[in-house]
Amino acid sequence: MAFLDKLPRHLFTRRGWGMLAAGAFALAAAQVMGRRDLLTLALLLLVLPLVSLAGIRLVKPKFRVYREFNPSPVETSAPTIVHLAVGRTGPGTGQVIMEERLPPHFGQAPAFRFPSRSATGGTSRYEYHLTSGYRGLFRIGPVTAEFTDPFGLSLHRQAIDDGDILTVTPAAVVLPATALDGARGNDGVTATRTRANPSDDDVMTREYRHGDPMRRVHWAATARHGELMVRQEESVTTPEATIILDHRSAAFGGPSGMTMPGLPGRHGHGLATSETFEWSVVAAMSVSAHLAERNYSLRILDAGGNPAFLHSPSSPEPGADEFSGTSGLQSIAESLAAVHLSGPSHTRRDSAARDAQGRSSRRRAAGGGQPPGADQEPPVFDDHLMDKLGAHRMRGPLIAVLGRISAEEATALAPAAAYGTNAFALLAVDKPADFHGVLDVLRQNGWRAAAVTPRTALAAAWGQFDEDPAVPVAPASEVRRGAGVAT
């Protein structure tokens, strides 16, 4: 019996191997003893397993599979129930053992027999639970069926469906109320009413643009500013907020870089991320949920002013940058599920090293070596971003969720504070002490800024915008929306 256990299991069952062994023994005995009846028995014992093997591969049973996740999408560390229904569409066969293929971090793959004891109408139904500690897109399935011939001699294993995609979104941390609310209150209604019915002393104006009718010129504001100003006649019925989510490899890569499990990203090896970037993703999700609960509509941009989820494999609308309501928050959560680091990856230790690298690159470009723009980051915090922010000037707060930025980049970003009613900046870095200069640049230009590590409690970091003391390290667990588990 131990010898049979060592034989390949993907061709014959133990019964099949035993029949082949008996056939080989009978064949040898027939040759030695000269018995024709033993020869006939040997041929029968040898041929029957081979015929069953050929038949089970030529006449494959067919199945239909239906898989549903509840809930879907699901937050990290929250369970989802998988409902699986399997029905036979072809001719019957022997015993069928089925197994659901799962990514390794989900644990042991569930196995079950078909048909089940509770099968109705030719369809068997199964149920199991999944929990993921990682965000991302994960292929659940396919179901692999291992079935035998009616005699139980041969085996065949095949996938009977293509599997389905489970989207796991980052869970939002509950944030405390801060000065972000300002005159709007908790739901943003007060400021909306004031702005929706402006008086002569409280009228919104902007600079004149080509094509504006002269009847909208506000002469008092024109006299004060020394240039043509027009009335901002459209009423604002919903408070707005803008979130800048930096996802450059140069800002979050380096020693803490890693690859998360899930469907392959652009490099074919899962999602490129890091501990600091994962903290930033949770922060972006939490801030979005915090503001959505207060009736804010949201705009989410990257560091270059483009839609932040333009390259996210999980985004329902990659080109969208404006979100509102429950559906908008759901779209943000799905987009954050598989957002990953992009752009060239390198670590900038200090501005001197970066400047030296820039001068070297310019010399190579001038000498006909490496072409300009090769292996360089796209422009960040430039006029394109400022134009996007200026289009919604003073309509709500501005929140920047950043990684490592240089003093020069901080100087370029600093004027953006003038476009928001409040300006908040969170820097997720490995060593916050190295970024005091960057924080000073932002604070001197109207930002409320803080540098934190991946171990910092997000709620405490958010509360620091009202309090100056150092941010404490995260406790063992944080309250998350819907998940209720440790971060």
Side-chain angles (χ1 to χ4, degrees):
M1 299 300 290
F3 173 74
L4 293 178
D5 292 335
K6 297 180 180 178
L7 295 174
R9 292 279 298 167
H10 63 280
L11 294 176
F12 300 101
T13 63
R14 295 177 61 179
R15 181 185 299 174
W17 284 114
M19 186 172 290
L20 288 173
F25 179 78
L27 181 62
Q31 291 291 333
V32 173
M33 302 174 62
R35 298 281 300 270
R36 185 177 295 272
D37 54 344
L38 284 179
L39 179 60
T40 302
L41 177 61
L43 292 177
L44 177 64
L45 294 176
L46 291 173
V47 170
L48 187 57
L50 297 177
V51 171
S52 65
L53 179 64
I56 202 172
R57 279 161 171 74
L58 292 176
V59 185
K60 299 178 182 177
K62 296 181 180 180
F63 300 89
R64 64 179 182 275
V65 177
Y66 173 77
R67 186 183 291 101
E68 182 182 35
F69 306 109
N70 184 28
S72 178
V74 63
E75 292 181 345
T76 54
S77 300
T80 184
I81 303 175
V82 183
H83 299 280
L84 189 67
V86 182
R88 197 194 309 270
T89 60
T93 183
Q95 182 181 3
V96 181
I97 303 297
M98 296 187 175
E99 182 179 89
E100 178 89 290
R101 291 183 184 175
L102 298 178
H105 77 280
F106 280 103
Q108 185 176 3
F112 42 89
R113 295 179 180 273
F114 180 88
S116 65
R117 294 180 179 178
S118 59
T120 57
T123 300
S124 297
R125 290 174 173 81
Y126 312 91
E127 181 180 297
Y128 64 95
H129 296 73
L130 289 178
T131 303
S132 175
Y134 300 95
R135 65 180 178 88
L137 298 176
F138 303 97
R139 184 174 296 279
I140 306 301
V143 172
T144 58
E146 183 180 85
F147 42 85
T148 65
D149 63 279
F151 300 103
L153 301 178
S154 59
L155 290 172
H156 182 59
R157 177 185 288 265
Q158 71 175 53
I160 60 176
D161 76 316
D162 296 327
D164 292 289
I165 304 302
L166 174 63
T167 301
V168 181
T169 65
V173 174
V174 178
L175 300 180
T178 66
L180 167 70
D181 302 324
R184 294 186 185 276
N186 289 334
D187 60 0
V189 173
T190 302
T192 299
R193 290 172 179 166
T194 301
R195 186 174 294 183
N197 300 281
S199 66
D200 291 338
D201 296 328
D202 186 30
V203 65
M204 297 298 296
T205 60
R206 60 169 173 82
E207 64 277 5
Y208 175 85
R209 298 172 187 168
H210 179 72
D212 287 335
M214 293 301 295
R215 61 181 174 81
R216 290 180 57 189
V217 173
H218 191 278
W219 297 108
T222 298
R224 287 197 304 270
H225 291 275
E227 60 178 335
L228 281 176
M229 304 293 290
V230 296
R231 291 182 177 86
Q232 192 86 297
E233 291 184 351
E234 63 273 14
S235 63
V236 180
T237 59
T238 303
E240 300 177 1
T242 300
I243 299 174
I244 300 174
L245 176 61
D246 193 357
H247 51 65
R248 296 170 297 148
S249 295
F252 292 99
S256 62
M258 61 183 182
T259 300
M260 286 204 313
L263 295 183
R266 62 173 185 161
H267 300 297
H269 301 291
L271 297 178
T273 186
S274 67
E275 289 183 350
T276 52
F277 185 62
E278 288 305 300
W279 192 96
S280 296
V281 170
V282 174
M285 183 69 250
S286 303
V287 171
S288 297
H290 181 77
L291 296 175
E293 287 181 353
R294 287 155 176 78
N295 297 327
Y296 280 84
S297 63
L298 304 173
R299 287 196 314 151
I300 305 185
L301 307 172
D302 65 12
N306 301 308
F309 307 129
L310 190 61
H311 303 292
S312 172
S314 60
S315 177
E317 301 175 275
D321 59 11
E322 297 186 1
F323 309 89
S324 61
T326 303
S327 61
L329 184 62
Q330 183 63 37
S331 180
I332 292 173
E334 292 184 38
S335 300
L336 287 171
V339 69
H340 54 82
L341 296 177
S342 59
S345 177
H346 61 276
T347 304
R348 281 169 290 183
R349 297 296 183 184
D350 51 54
S351 59
R354 186 185 59 261
D355 292 341
Q357 182 180 6
R359 289 193 296 271
S360 175
S361 299
R362 288 192 293 272
R363 283 197 298 269
R364 288 196 300 269
Q370 184 179 7
D375 196 29
Q376 295 181 4
E377 293 181 44
V380 294
F381 311 135
D382 60 355
D383 290 343
H384 181 57
L385 175 62
M386 298 304 166
D387 290 342
K388 284 291 190 72
L389 298 178
H392 294 254
R393 184 185 182 97
M394 300 303 291
R395 293 192 180 178
L398 172 63
I399 301 99
V401 183
L402 311 171
R404 296 188 304 267
I405 63 173
S406 65
E408 288 79 3
E409 290 172 338
T411 302
L413 175 63
Y419 296 113
T421 55
N422 288 298
F424 301 84
L426 282 171
L427 277 65
V429 295
D430 294 317
K431 298 180 180 180
D434 296 341
F435 291 85
H436 288 316
V438 170
L439 297 179
D440 288 341
V441 171
L442 294 174
R443 289 166 179 165
Q444 290 169 5
N445 287 271
W447 288 84
R448 299 187 185 186
V452 298
T453 72
R455 296 174 298 279
T456 301
L458 178 56
W462 185 252
Q464 191 185 18
F465 291 135
D466 280 341
E467 301 176 1
D468 292 334
V471 181
V473 175
S477 63
E478 285 186 347
V479 179
R480 287 172 174 260
R481 301 178 196 275
V485 297
T487 58

